[in-house]
């Protein structure tokens, strides 16, 4: 899968690309490309945003700048999924993550300050996605959230089977995963449920099913 991210701070993604699972699949199942709007802006001095029409505080990411950035990379043919990260977008859920992980190519657009000129969302993006009902300073953390959630669904990202039985997965009926415990079995009187120490796989399975939330 190819994921292209358009941002003003490509280096912000360095940390994420050094972490598993992304580090393990980069250059293999995941082809991640980072583009800076400033590298293709048609405006002078690397300008990318401008004052809002109608007045008010903040700067707005310009539509001509984003169009030029997409043209510079795709030369007129746009990818199937171009996602603007925006608080006004569709809330990100695991089914949306699964849908995107099945795509061959996804493009993410990040904004900052007051956000996108609305024509970017209407005409250049195919979707707008929000990572939650709160406002962050820019779209880079939202892009990384989406990137990480999608990347871990790609083949080879996780150990065999560990991505199937998780919170929000089909196997758990969209529910929350049962609790996990590890050694010591007794810590200051806080006991691990006896059934998990029993070695009885049938009972353990039943206990886990009961504790899906
Ligand atoms: C400060 S925010 C803009 C907030 C906008 N003026 C508003 O009131 O909705 C700047 C950028 O950060 C990103 N962003 C902030 N919060 C987000 C969220 N919850 N989900 C997705 N993107 C977000 C978007 O790219 C947004 O355009």
């Amino acid at each position: 899968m190819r994921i292209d991210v358009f941002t003003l701070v490509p280096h912000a993604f360095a940390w994420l690309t050094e972490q598993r699972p992304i580090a393990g699949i980069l250059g293999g199942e995941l082809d991640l490309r980072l583009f800076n709007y400033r590298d293709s802006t048609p405006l002078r001095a690397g300008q990318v945003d401008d004052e809002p029409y109608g007045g008010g505080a903040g700067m707005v990411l310009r539509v001509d700048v984003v169009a030029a950035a997409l043209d510079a990379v795709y030369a007129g043919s746009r990818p199937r999924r171009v996602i603007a990260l925006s608080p006004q977008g569709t809330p990100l859920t695991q089914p949306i993550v699964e849908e995107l992980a099945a795509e061959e190519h996804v493009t993410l657009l990040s904004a900052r300050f007051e956000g996108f000129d609305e024509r970017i969302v209407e005409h250049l993006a195919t979707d707008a996605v929000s990572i939650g009902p709160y406002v962050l300073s820019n779209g880079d953390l939202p892009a990384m959230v989406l990137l990480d959630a999608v990347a871990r669904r790609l083949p080879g990202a996780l150990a065999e089977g560990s991505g199937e039985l998780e919170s929000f997965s089909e196997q758990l009926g969209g529910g929350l995963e049962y609790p996990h415990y590890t050694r010591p079995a007794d810590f200051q009187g806080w006991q691990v449920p006896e059934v998990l120490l029993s070695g009885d796989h049938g009972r353990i399975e039943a206990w886990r099913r009961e504790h899906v939330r």
Side-chain angles (χ1 to χ4, degrees), residues 84-89 109-116 129-143:
L85 279 316
S86 163
Q88 290 91 38
L109 304 178
S110 168
R112 64 174 183 175
F113 301 142
E114 277 308 307
F116 297 101
V129 166
S130 163
I131 64 157
Y134 42 80
V135 177
L136 295 163
S137 304
N138 59 60
D140 296 318
L141 286 173

Side-chain angles (χ1 to χ4, degrees), residues 42-110:
L43 308 174
R44 283 192 306 163
Q47 185 187 347
V48 294
D49 33 29
D50 225 320
E51 293 162 358
Y53 280 124
M59 299 289 272
V60 176
L61 185 60
R62 286 178 55 138
V63 62
D64 50 351
V65 167
V66 176
L70 294 172
D71 283 346
V73 174
Y74 306 121
S77 70
R78 297 276 157 75
R80 231 172 67 82
R81 303 297 291 268
V82 180
I83 298 175
L85 279 316
S86 163
Q88 290 91 38
T90 306
L92 185 62
T93 58
Q94 193 64 33
I96 294 177
V97 168
E98 304 295 336
E99 182 193 317
L100 295 176
E103 295 280 356
E104 279 177 17
H105 188 186
V106 169
T107 296
L108 305 180
L109 304 178
S110 168

